[in-house]
Coordinates of all heavy atoms in Angstrom, one line a residue:
E1 N 21.1 34.5 2.8 CA 20.9 35.3 3.9 C 19.5 35.8 4.0 O 18.7 35.7 3.1 CB 21.9 36.5 3.9 CG 21.8 37.4 2.6 CD 23.0 38.3 2.5 OE1 24.0 38.1 3.1 OE2 22.8 39.3 1.7
G2 N 19.2 36.5 5.1 CA 17.9 37.0 5.3 C 16.8 36.0 5.5 O 17.1 34.8 5.8
K3 N 15.5 36.4 5.5 CA 14.4 35.5 5.8 C 13.1 36.2 5.2 O 12.9 37.4 5.4 CB 14.3 35.4 7.3 CG 13.3 34.4 7.8 CD 13.5 34.2 9.3 CE 12.5 33.2 9.8 NZ 12.7 33.0 11.3
P4 N 12.3 35.4 4.5 CA 11.1 36.0 4.0 C 10.1 36.5 5.1 O 10.1 35.9 6.2 CB 10.4 34.8 3.2 CG 11.5 33.9 3.0 CD 12.5 34.0 4.2
A5 N 9.5 37.6 4.8 CA 8.5 38.1 5.8 C 7.2 37.3 5.8 O 6.5 37.3 6.8 CB 8.2 39.6 5.5
D6 N 6.9 36.6 4.6 CA 5.7 35.9 4.5 C 6.0 34.4 4.9 O 7.1 34.0 5.2 CB 5.1 36.0 3.1 CG 6.1 35.6 2.0 OD1 6.9 34.7 2.3 OD2 6.1 36.2 1.0
N7 N 4.9 33.6 4.8 CA 5.1 32.2 5.1 C 5.2 31.3 3.8 O 5.0 30.1 3.9 CB 3.8 31.7 5.9 CG 3.9 32.2 7.3 OD1 4.9 32.3 7.9 ND2 2.7 32.6 7.8
K8 N 5.5 31.9 2.7 CA 5.7 31.2 1.5 C 7.0 30.4 1.5 O 7.9 30.7 2.2 CB 5.7 32.1 0.3 CG 4.4 32.9 0.1 CD 4.5 33.8 -1.1 CE 3.2 34.6 -1.3 NZ 3.4 35.6 -2.4
W9 N 7.0 29.3 0.7 CA 8.2 28.5 0.5 C 8.8 28.8 -0.8 O 8.0 29.1 -1.8 CB 7.9 27.0 0.7 CG 7.7 26.6 2.1 CD1 6.6 26.5 2.8 CD2 8.8 26.2 3.0 NE1 6.9 26.1 4.1 CE2 8.2 25.9 4.2 CE3 10.2 26.0 2.8 CZ2 9.0 25.5 5.3 CZ3 10.9 25.6 3.9 CH2 10.3 25.3 5.1
Y10 N 10.1 28.6 -1.0 CA 10.8 28.9 -2.2 C 11.8 27.8 -2.6 O 12.1 26.9 -1.8 CB 11.5 30.2 -2.0 CG 10.6 31.4 -1.8 CD1 10.2 31.8 -0.5 CD2 10.1 32.2 -2.8 CE1 9.4 32.8 -0.2 CE2 9.3 33.3 -2.6 CZ 8.9 33.6 -1.3 OH 8.1 34.6 -1.0
S11 N 12.2 27.9 -3.8 CA 13.3 27.0 -4.2 C 14.4 27.9 -5.0 O 14.0 29.0 -5.4 CB 12.8 25.9 -5.2 OG 12.3 26.5 -6.4
L12 N 15.6 27.4 -5.1 CA 16.6 28.1 -5.8 C 17.0 27.2 -7.0 O 17.1 26.0 -6.8 CB 17.9 28.3 -5.0 CG 17.7 29.1 -3.7 CD1 19.1 29.3 -3.1 CD2 17.0 30.4 -3.8
H13 N 17.1 27.8 -8.2 CA 17.5 27.0 -9.4 C 18.9 27.6 -9.9 O 18.9 28.8 -10.2 CB 16.5 27.1 -10.5 CG 16.8 26.2 -11.6 ND1 17.1 24.9 -11.5 CD2 16.8 26.5 -13.0 CE1 17.3 24.3 -12.7 NE2 17.2 25.3 -13.6
V14 N 19.9 26.8 -9.9 CA 21.2 27.2 -10.2 C 21.6 26.7 -11.6 O 21.5 25.5 -11.9 CB 22.3 26.6 -9.2 CG1 23.7 27.2 -9.5 CG2 21.9 27.0 -7.8
T15 N 22.0 27.6 -12.5 CA 22.4 27.3 -13.9 C 23.6 28.1 -14.2 O 24.1 28.9 -13.4 CB 21.3 27.6 -14.9 OG1 21.1 29.0 -15.0 CG2 19.9 27.0 -14.5
N16 N 24.1 27.9 -15.4 CA 25.3 28.6 -15.9 C 24.9 30.1 -16.1 O 25.9 30.9 -16.1 CB 25.7 28.0 -17.3 CG 27.1 28.5 -17.6 OD1 28.0 28.7 -16.8 ND2 27.3 28.6 -18.9
S17 N 23.7 30.4 -16.1 CA 23.3 31.9 -16.2 C 23.1 32.6 -14.9 O 23.0 33.8 -14.8 CB 22.0 32.0 -17.0 OG 22.1 31.4 -18.3
G18 N 23.1 31.8 -13.8 CA 22.9 32.4 -12.5 C 21.9 31.6 -11.6 O 21.7 30.4 -11.8
I19 N 21.4 32.3 -10.6 CA 20.5 31.6 -9.6 C 19.1 32.4 -9.7 O 19.1 33.6 -9.5 CB 21.0 31.6 -8.2 CG1 22.3 30.8 -8.2 CG2 20.0 31.0 -7.2 CD1 23.0 30.8 -6.8
T20 N 18.1 31.6 -9.8 CA 16.7 32.2 -9.7 C 16.0 31.7 -8.5 O 16.2 30.6 -8.1 CB 15.9 31.9 -11.0 OG1 15.9 30.5 -11.2 CG2 16.5 32.5 -12.2
V21 N 15.2 32.6 -7.9 CA 14.4 32.2 -6.7 C 13.0 32.1 -7.2 O 12.4 33.0 -7.8 CB 14.5 33.3 -5.6 CG1 13.7 32.9 -4.4 CG2 16.0 33.6 -5.3
Q22 N 12.4 31.0 -6.9 CA 11.0 30.7 -7.3 C 10.2 30.2 -6.2 O 10.6 29.5 -5.3 CB 11.1 29.6 -8.4 CG 11.9 29.9 -9.6 CD 12.2 28.7 -10.5 OE1 12.3 27.6 -10.0 NE2 12.3 29.0 -11.8
E23 N 8.9 30.6 -6.2 CA 8.0 30.2 -5.1 C 7.7 28.7 -5.4 O 7.6 28.2 -6.5 CB 6.7 30.9 -5.2 CG 5.7 30.6 -4.0 CD 4.5 31.5 -4.1 OE1 4.5 32.5 -4.7 OE2 3.5 31.1 -3.4
E24 N 7.6 27.9 -4.3 CA 7.4 26.4 -4.4 C 6.2 26.0 -3.5 O 6.2 26.4 -2.3 CB 8.7 25.7 -3.9 CG 8.5 24.2 -3.9 CD 8.2 23.6 -5.2 OE1 8.8 24.1 -6.3 OE2 7.4 22.7 -5.3
N25 N 5.3 25.3 -4.1 CA 4.1 24.9 -3.4 C 4.0 23.3 -3.5 O 3.6 22.7 -2.5 CB 2.8 25.5 -4.0 CG 2.8 27.0 -3.8 OD1 3.0 27.5 -2.6 ND2 2.6 27.8 -4.8
E26 N 4.3 22.8 -4.6 CA 4.0 21.3 -4.8 C 4.7 20.4 -3.9 O 4.2 19.4 -3.4 CB 4.4 21.0 -6.3 CG 4.2 19.5 -6.6 CD 4.8 19.1 -7.9 OE1 5.2 20.0 -8.7 OE2 4.9 17.9 -8.2
L27 N 6.0 20.7 -3.6 CA 6.8 19.8 -2.8 C 6.9 20.1 -1.3 O 7.6 19.3 -0.6 CB 8.2 19.7 -3.5 CG 8.2 19.2 -4.9 CD1 9.6 19.2 -5.5 CD2 7.6 17.8 -5.0
V28 N 6.3 21.1 -0.9 CA 6.3 21.4 0.6 C 5.6 20.3 1.3 O 4.5 19.9 0.9 CB 5.7 22.8 0.8 CG1 5.6 23.0 2.3 CG2 6.5 23.9 0.1
G29 N 6.2 19.8 2.4 CA 5.6 18.7 3.1 C 6.0 17.3 2.6 O 5.6 16.3 3.3
K30 N 6.7 17.3 1.5 CA 7.2 16.0 1.0 C 8.5 15.6 1.6 O 9.3 16.4 2.0 CB 7.3 16.1 -0.5 CG 6.0 16.5 -1.3 CD 5.0 15.4 -1.2 CE 3.8 15.8 -2.1 NZ 2.7 14.8 -2.0
G31 N 8.8 14.3 1.5 CA 10.1 13.8 1.9 C 11.1 13.9 0.8 O 10.8 14.3 -0.4
N32 N 12.4 13.7 1.2 CA 13.5 13.9 0.2 C 13.4 13.1 -1.0 O 13.7 13.5 -2.1 CB 14.8 13.7 0.9 CG 15.1 14.9 1.9 OD1 15.1 16.0 1.5 ND2 15.4 14.5 3.1
F33 N 13.0 11.8 -0.9 CA 12.9 10.9 -2.0 C 11.9 11.4 -3.0 O 12.1 11.4 -4.3 CB 12.5 9.5 -1.6 CG 13.6 8.8 -0.9 CD1 13.4 8.3 0.4 CD2 14.9 8.6 -1.4 CE1 14.4 7.7 1.1 CE2 15.9 8.0 -0.7 CZ 15.7 7.5 0.6
A34 N 10.7 11.9 -2.6 CA 9.7 12.5 -3.4 C 10.2 13.7 -4.1 O 9.9 14.0 -5.3 CB 8.4 12.7 -2.7
V35 N 11.0 14.5 -3.4 CA 11.5 15.8 -4.0 C 12.4 15.4 -5.2 O 12.3 16.0 -6.3 CB 12.3 16.6 -2.9 CG1 13.0 17.8 -3.6 CG2 11.3 17.2 -1.9
I36 N 13.3 14.5 -4.9 CA 14.3 14.1 -6.0 C 13.5 13.5 -7.2 O 13.8 13.9 -8.4 CB 15.3 13.1 -5.5 CG1 16.3 13.8 -4.5 CG2 16.1 12.4 -6.6 CD1 17.2 12.8 -3.7
E37 N 12.6 12.7 -7.0 CA 11.8 12.1 -8.1 C 11.1 13.1 -8.9 O 11.1 13.1 -10.1 CB 10.8 11.0 -7.5 CG 10.0 10.3 -8.6 CD 9.0 9.3 -8.0 OE1 8.9 9.2 -6.8 OE2 8.4 8.6 -8.8
A38 N 10.4 14.1 -8.1 CA 9.7 15.1 -8.8 C 10.6 16.1 -9.6 O 10.3 16.4 -10.8 CB 8.9 15.9 -7.8
L39 N 11.8 16.4 -9.1 CA 12.7 17.3 -9.8 C 13.3 16.6 -11.0 O 13.5 17.3 -12.0 CB 13.7 17.8 -8.8 CG 13.2 18.8 -7.8 CD1 14.3 19.2 -6.8 CD2 12.5 20.0 -8.4
E40 N 13.6 15.4 -10.9 CA 14.1 14.6 -12.1 C 13.0 14.6 -13.2 O 13.3 14.7 -14.4 CB 14.5 13.2 -11.7 CG 15.8 13.2 -10.9 CD 16.3 11.8 -10.6 OE1 15.6 10.8 -10.8 OE2 17.5 11.7 -10.3
G41 N 11.7 14.5 -12.8 CA 10.6 14.6 -13.7 C 10.5 16.0 -14.4 O 10.3 16.1 -15.6
R42 N 10.7 17.0 -13.6 CA 10.6 18.4 -14.1 C 11.9 18.8 -14.9 O 11.7 19.4 -16.0 CB 10.6 19.4 -12.9 CG 9.3 19.5 -12.1 CD 9.5 20.6 -11.1 NE 8.5 20.6 -10.0 CZ 8.5 21.4 -9.0 NH1 9.4 22.4 -9.0 NH2 7.6 21.3 -8.0
L43 N 13.0 18.4 -14.4 CA 14.3 19.0 -15.0 C 15.3 18.0 -15.6 O 16.3 18.4 -16.1 CB 15.0 19.8 -13.8 CG 14.1 20.9 -13.2 CD1 14.8 21.4 -11.9 CD2 13.9 22.0 -14.1
G44 N 14.9 16.7 -15.5 CA 15.8 15.7 -16.1 C 16.6 15.0 -15.0 O 16.9 15.4 -13.9
K45 N 17.1 13.8 -15.4 CA 17.8 12.9 -14.5 C 19.1 13.4 -14.0 O 19.6 13.0 -12.9 CB 18.0 11.5 -15.2 CG 16.8 10.7 -15.4 CD 16.2 10.1 -14.1 CE 17.1 9.0 -13.6 NZ 16.5 8.3 -12.5
K46 N 19.7 14.3 -14.8 CA 21.1 14.8 -14.4 C 21.0 15.9 -13.4 O 22.1 16.4 -12.9 CB 21.8 15.2 -15.6 CG 22.2 14.1 -16.6 CD 23.0 14.6 -17.8 CE 23.3 13.4 -18.7 NZ 24.1 13.9 -19.9
I47 N 19.9 16.4 -13.0 CA 19.8 17.6 -12.2 C 20.3 17.3 -10.8 O 20.1 16.2 -10.2 CB 18.3 18.0 -12.0 CG1 18.2 19.5 -11.5 CG2 17.5 17.1 -11.2 CD1 18.6 20.5 -12.5

């Protein structure tokens, strides 16, 4: 819910401990295939 007042982009990371909100810059403007490839590189193939 809600909406940021600024023009920043964010991501959500869901784990067994909860959800964290993080600012995202690298993948803004990218297509979905690039997003998946990058996140598998960051977080592992099972993400």
Side-chain angles (χ1 to χ4, degrees):
E1 59 191 19
K3 187 174 182 177
D6 55 34
N7 288 322
K8 295 178 181 178
W9 282 93
Y10 297 88
S11 66
L12 307 183
H13 186 51
V14 185
T15 69
N16 196 32
S17 301
I19 298 179
T20 55
V21 183
Q22 301 167 327
E23 188 177 342
E24 176 60 39
N25 295 307
E26 177 192 346
L27 297 177
V28 177
K30 303 290 188 182
N32 287 306
F33 291 120
V35 170
I36 291 172
E37 182 179 8
L39 291 179
E40 288 186 342
R42 288 185 198 176
L43 303 169
K45 291 286 288 185
K46 293 183 179 180
I47 197 73

